[in-house]
Amino acid sequence: MAAKLSAVLDVHQWNTPSYPTDKKQPPPYFTRISTHKRFTISCTSSKSPPKLSPNNKTESSSRKRKNPSLSDQLKPLSTTILADQPPNPHQSPQQQKLLSKPKSIWVNPTKPKPSVLSLQRQKRSSYSYNPQIRDLKLFAKKLNDSDPLDEAAFQAILAEIPHPPNRENALLVLNSLRSWEKTLLFFNWIRTLNLFPIETIFYNVTMKSLRYGRQFQHIENLANEMIENGVELDNITYSTIITCAKRCNLFDKAVEWFERMYRTGLMPDEVTYSAVLDVYAKLRKVEEVMSLYERGRASGWKPDAIAFAVLGKMFGEAGDYDGIRYVLEEMKSLGVQPNLVVYNTLLEAMGKAGKPGLARSLFEEMVDSGIDPDEKTLTALIKIYGKARWAKDALELWDRMKSNGWPMDFILYNSLLSMCADLGLEEEAEGLFENMKGSEYCKPDSWSYTAMLNIYGSGGNVDKAMKLFEEMSENGVELNVMGCTCLIQCLGRAKRIDDLVRVFQISVDGGIKPDDRLCGCLLSVVSYCDGEDVNKVLACLLRANPTLVAFIKLLEKEETHFENVKEEFKGILSNTAVDARRPFCNCLIDICRNRDLHERAHELLYMGTVYGLYPGLHTKAAEEWRLNVRSLSVGAAHTAFEEWLGTLTKMVQRQEALPELLSASTGAGTHKYSQGLGNAFASHVEKLAAPFRISDNKAGLFVATREDVTSWVQSRATSLASTT
DNA sequence: ATAGGGTTAG
């Protein structure tokens, strides 16, 4: 597959009529290669920790006080991004060679301008008015209404066609059929009548219906028939084939048919071209998309809003903020006005890139430009504000939605509920939930119930959560794995272990497949349970993830060697979803600490660090070193703090240099229900009699000066010496 | 749905 893609992207293999064959000529994309270069840098910048390659994304959601317009915020971009950059070591030797001579420009006026796409869009023949339209529409309706399984009935209706099936009449009916099966039957009937030659448009219309039914194989068969029968395949044919392949996830087929266009000397127009851009974008082949894009630009193509929506979506999926900025810049410099879809795509992309402030600016820019948001716009924005914990903005937007009468749909209702769950807005959620129950078309479904379970679960409202659980089975709404997790978390915290076991069993018996999050949740319950409860929860976990239970047993055995723990733990992490790895490690550390297996806890924390589960745990600036424990569980935070004190102690003893300030950050706990870590950390600091004090001006920060730490170490050494 | 390309939920 990879070889095939790179072959397609090598212009020299494209046998296009206007392409220069002289290899000494510079390739056409030289003219814009410096633009492409920006990209290769921004998209290859992500680093992966060793071995397990967990791609922990850090959500940067720091709130900006000022709110300049988006174009103002982008201004510095044009000064920084356009500067020449050093060659990127990640690029292929071929790319590097090209980049080393950025001055090379396509200058050969005697040859035609090399082109990868036709700047003229394929023209469509216009329909002439068909006086028989009423009769034929009625006929098509009969065909549509006939029993889909009864082919004989269909044939019987065909015989009663009210007007002769000439070219125009046949096209009209063919265009009116809904199911692909009937379209195909009608198409074949017309063919067997043999009244007129079957032109490209008949194939195209039939293929469109087949694409709607995702019948790629039928489409490909028809395309091959066209080739056999000498019927021309045009841009409409190809774009239909390519997009059908794409929707069926047959990306190699999409590329194969795209290649064939050039091979047969047909130049794609911008519709086909942007369809192919989307194929590569769906394959997450960012480099290839940009290469195609740049070559299209070099051919004189002025991309339209749809092409930019494709790019925006791709960069959003990659969480690539530089890419998103590039799309905005490029549209601005080409004078392409974003439409609603482009705005929606870019807003979503901003969310995925962790830029809520820029999403907000972009939204205001959109509204100011006179474009009204639709359900998708609002869904994207509500989700962003919820994830960023921007309660004020979320509620303001909600008010605006109501006062402006902006459109709502089911997904938006559920997104509002999820946002309430993210922000802990219990009353607002309850009001909305009641509205939904009273509505006709937006009755709560499993998503809605999950959001409510999430709210009650994280709020510790176990009775309301259980009431919802009963209500769900009464209303025939199925619990899903996330709702189950919320409920179990809540029951665990309330120590209602028998209810927990019951919910777990009903869920698994009902077909819920426990995922890593649910296992992590059970694991956390294990960490703070005692007595017989531990075994009850472990029995659930055994059903969901037996390896994990075996690992806990291994940790508990005193004779277990570190090497053994290391090996087993690596295996477990490798088989765990990336975003569940840190919670697993946190819980396992807690389990060890609650069983006085402190040495094990330190071993686990060490391995978690090695595998990149705790990036930025320790940061060193010239004047301050900081231990960042905000993503750690209580036990893991204690373990990390002990580890750090040990290191500091050794450094003092060896008289190594310390910075002026030492600090430990537990975070302020932006979530309404997450205040536990700071308190637990404070009492642990006290228990250890460590010299750290709660900072006066920054919440969730514990600070000590170099002198504090030094004298603390020395006094401890003295007291130890005097007791022995 | 009247021959072709792009966007919404843990």
Side-chain angles (χ1 to χ4, degrees):
Chain A
M1 186 69 186
K4 194 174 249 170
L5 292 180
S6 59
V8 169
L9 291 159
D10 181 356
V11 179
H12 295 290
Q13 299 195 3
W14 287 357
N15 189 14
T16 61
S18 61
Y19 190 74
T21 46
D22 183 357
K23 294 266 173 157
K24 283 175 191 163
Q25 297 288 356
Y29 45 91
F30 251 3
T31 48
R32 292 187 50 85
I33 199 73
S34 66
T35 330
H36 177 213
K37 189 165 55 169
R38 300 175 210 158
F39 268 93
T40 47
I41 286 162
S42 72
C43 5
T44 49
S45 59
S46 70
K47 282 190 198 133
S48 311
K51 282 164 190 162
L52 295 165
S53 65
N55 51 352
N56 296 300
K57 241 185 240 175
T58 41
E59 276 252 3
S60 72
S61 53
S62 59
R63 178 82 181 261
K64 293 205 178 68
R65 194 152 298 167
K66 252 180 61 196
N67 185 21
S69 89
L70 190 74
S71 37
D72 282 342
Q73 292 174 62
L74 287 169
K75 258 180 198 152
L77 182 70
S78 50
T79 55
T80 56
I81 217 173
L82 295 174
D84 273 335
Q85 313 242 9
N88 187 329
H90 297 294
Q91 282 159 353
S92 68
Q94 192 200 11
Q95 280 172 311
Q96 285 199 16
K97 213 176 106 206
L98 297 177
L99 291 175
S100 65
K101 314 184 284 183
K103 290 278 159 59
S104 306
I105 288 172
W106 172 262
V107 274
N108 192 345
T110 61
K111 295 224 173 179
K113 197 174 180 184
S115 185
V116 291
L117 89 166
S118 159
L119 300 181
Q120 196 78 14
R121 214 186 258 216
Q122 184 182 322
K123 289 197 192 72
R124 314 156 63 135
S125 53
S126 55
Y127 272 88
S128 54
Y129 175 70
N130 190 327
Q132 277 111 30
I133 187 163
R134 275 185 62 100
D135 294 342
L136 290 167
K137 280 280 174 191
L138 215 64
F139 172 67
K141 190 177 182 324
K142 267 193 218 164
L143 291 173
N144 277 326
D145 291 344
S146 74
D147 182 349
L149 300 174
D150 192 346
E151 198 185 316
F154 189 84
Q155 302 288 354
I157 302 169
L158 282 183
E160 291 165 23
I161 187 162
H163 297 285
N166 59 22
R167 184 185 181 278
E168 276 66 36
N169 292 345
L171 256 185
L172 201 151
V173 175
L174 194 62
N175 255 317
S176 311
L177 296 175
R178 312 252 163 179
S179 79
W180 64 268
E181 290 94 339
K182 287 174 182 174
T183 308
L184 207 52
L185 282 174
F186 188 80
F187 177 70
N188 285 327
W189 181 63
I190 293 297
R191 275 209 290 202
T192 50
L193 291 181
N194 212 9
L195 294 175
F196 51 85
I198 305 296
E199 304 156 35
T200 305
I201 187 171
F202 282 86
Y203 284 94
N204 289 350
V205 174
T206 307
M207 281 186 185
K208 187 192 174 181
S209 175
L210 290 168
R211 187 187 65 168
Y212 194 76
R214 295 177 183 251
Q215 296 298 310
F216 182 75
Q217 197 49 61
H218 281 299
I219 285 193
E220 193 171 49
N221 293 345
L222 280 188
N224 285 324
E225 278 175 35
M226 292 175 81
I227 295 164
E228 274 171 40
N229 300 339
V231 181
E232 177 204 0
L233 283 76
D234 61 14
N235 258 287
I236 297 176
T237 322
Y238 279 110
S239 57
T240 312
I241 297 170
I242 289 165
T243 53
C244 179
K246 183 175 73 190
R247 284 175 204 185
C248 297
N249 289 324
L250 300 167
F251 298 105
D252 48 344
K253 281 290 181 187
V255 171
E256 186 185 314
W257 282 95
F258 180 58
E259 275 187 282
R260 191 181 184 280
M261 294 185 73
Y262 289 101
R263 229 177 28 243
T264 58
L266 177 63
M267 196 63 91
D269 67 8
E270 82 169 321
V271 175
T272 315
Y273 204 71
S274 51
V276 169
L277 283 186
D278 194 41
V279 169
Y280 284 107
K282 293 276 170 336
L283 286 166
R284 298 173 179 263
K285 302 267 179 192
V286 179
E287 296 286 337
E288 283 83 347
V289 170
M290 287 322 295
S291 178
L292 285 170
Y293 173 81
E294 292 296 349
R295 264 179 264 167
R297 294 280 297 111
S299 307
W301 176 43
K302 183 186 170 187
D304 64 4
I306 293 180
F308 286 117
V310 169
L311 296 189
K313 169 98 180 173
M314 171 182 76
F315 287 123
E317 294 297 323
D320 183 343
Y321 174 56
D322 290 336
I324 299 164
R325 290 200 299 190
Y326 174 80
V327 172
L328 282 163
E329 277 294 302
E330 195 79 347
M331 291 184 78
K332 206 165 74 179
S333 71
L334 291 173
V336 178
Q337 186 60 38
N339 62 18
L340 180 61
V341 176
V342 171
Y343 273 119
N344 288 351
T345 309
L346 290 176
L347 282 171
E348 178 111 344
M350 291 282 197
K352 289 191 171 134
K355 302 287 178 189
L358 293 169
R360 185 175 59 186
S361 313
L362 191 63
F363 175 69
E364 296 306 337
E365 203 169 284
M366 168 185 161
V367 175
D368 289 345
S369 78
I371 299 177
D372 278 336
D374 68 358
E375 297 89 333
K376 291 175 187 177
T377 322
L378 300 165
T379 298
L381 214 51
I382 280 293
K383 184 180 150 193
I384 289 170
Y385 291 156
K387 293 280 160 277
R389 308 269 149 87
W390 285 16
K392 184 169 157 282
D393 293 275
L395 290 171
E396 269 174 22
L397 180 63
W398 197 354
D399 281 338
R400 265 167 94 184
M401 288 165 54
K402 288 183 240 178
S403 59
N404 289 335
W406 282 338
M408 291 274 275
D409 66 3
F410 192 39
I411 292 180
L412 183 50
Y413 266 113
N414 277 341
S415 301
L416 284 166
L417 278 183
S418 299
M419 176 273 288
C420 290
D422 286 332
L423 296 172
L425 301 170
E426 192 170 312
E427 279 175 35
E428 287 84 350
E430 283 174 339
L432 189 63
F433 193 60
E434 284 310 310
N435 282 350
M436 291 177 75
K437 282 181 176 170
S439 76
E440 196 171 351
Y441 301 111
C442 295
K443 295 272 184 214
D445 69 347
S446 68
W447 283 77
S448 330
Y449 274 98
T450 300
M452 293 308 291
L453 285 171
N454 192 357
I455 289 169
Y456 293 141
S458 49
N461 206 328
V462 65
D463 293 321
K464 282 188 178 175
M466 280 308 278
K467 200 171 150 258
L468 276 186
F469 176 65
E470 312 296 347
E471 192 181 300
M472 287 178 79
S473 53
E474 283 163 26
N475 294 347
V477 180
E478 272 192 40
L479 186 70
N480 60 27
V481 67
M482 189 184 170
C484 174
T485 305
C486 294
L487 203 48
I488 283 184
Q489 180 189 47
C490 178
L491 291 166
R493 281 192 192 151
K495 297 275 168 69
R496 281 169 56 170
I497 302 303
D498 291 329
D499 283 330
L500 183 151
V501 172
R502 185 167 67 90
V503 168
F504 180 82
Q505 283 171 349
I506 291 173
S507 302
V508 176
D509 292 343
I512 286 181
K513 298 259 173 292
D515 61 4
D516 289 339
R517 285 201 199 191
L518 178 51
C519 292
C521 178
L522 289 169
L523 205 56
S524 80
V525 180
V526 171
S527 75
Y528 55 72
C529 268
D530 11 67
E532 194 42 41
D533 285 348
V534 175
N535 291 328
K536 290 179 185 170
V537 182
L538 279 177
C540 295
L541 193 57
L542 190 66
R543 209 172 154 187
N545 190 336
T547 322
L548 218 39
V549 177
F551 185 63
I552 295 169
K553 301 287 176 208
L554 187 77
L555 291 174
E556 285 171 342
K557 270 190 217 145
E558 209 172 308
E559 63 270 24
T560 303
H561 196 271
F562 174 56
E563 288 302 317
N564 198 358
V565 172
K566 205 166 122 185
E567 196 174 320
E568 292 298 318
F569 192 47
K570 186 182 173 185
I572 284 176
L573 287 184
S574 302
N575 289 316
T576 302
V578 171
D579 51 1
R581 287 174 186 172
R582 188 169 62 211
F584 271 30
C585 192
N586 279 338
C587 289
L588 288 166
I589 292 172
D590 286 351
I591 290 172
C592 288
R593 288 193 72 100
N594 292 344
R595 284 157 186 68
D596 282 328
L597 301 163
H598 285 239
E599 198 52 41
R600 287 268 186 265
H602 283 268
E603 290 172 5
L604 289 169
L605 179 70
Y606 168 76
M607 286 184 289
T609 312
V610 167
Y611 291 136
L613 304 188
Y614 303 107
L617 178 60
H618 191 209
T619 48
K620 288 182 177 180
E623 68 289 354
E624 181 182 348
W625 290 357
R626 180 173 293 183
L627 186 71
N628 303 289
V629 298
R630 57 188 310 166
S631 67
L632 275 65
S633 61
V634 170
H638 291 172
T639 310
F641 188 58
E642 289 166 8
E643 197 74 44
W644 197 44
L645 283 182
T647 308
L648 294 176
T649 301
K650 272 185 206 147
M651 291 188 73
V652 171
Q653 287 164 346
R654 292 178 194 149
Q655 299 190 318
E656 291 170 35
L658 288 181
E660 212 167 297
L661 198 65
L662 297 136
S663 63
S665 164
T666 59
T670 41
H671 198 288
K672 193 180 166 189
Y673 306 113
S674 66
Q675 302 292 340
L677 181 61
N679 299 335
F681 197 82
S683 60
H684 194 62
V685 170
E686 201 176 327
K687 191 183 136 199
L688 296 173
F692 285 77
R693 295 177 312 273
I694 295 175
S695 162
D696 296 327
N697 37 28
K698 214 172 164 202
L701 196 66
F702 296 78
V703 290
T705 63
R706 174 171 46 210
E707 287 68 36
D708 292 338
V709 173
T710 311
S711 57
W712 177 73
V713 171
Q714 283 160 355
S715 73
R716 279 208 346 173
T718 321
S719 66
L720 274 174
S722 65
T723 51
T724 50

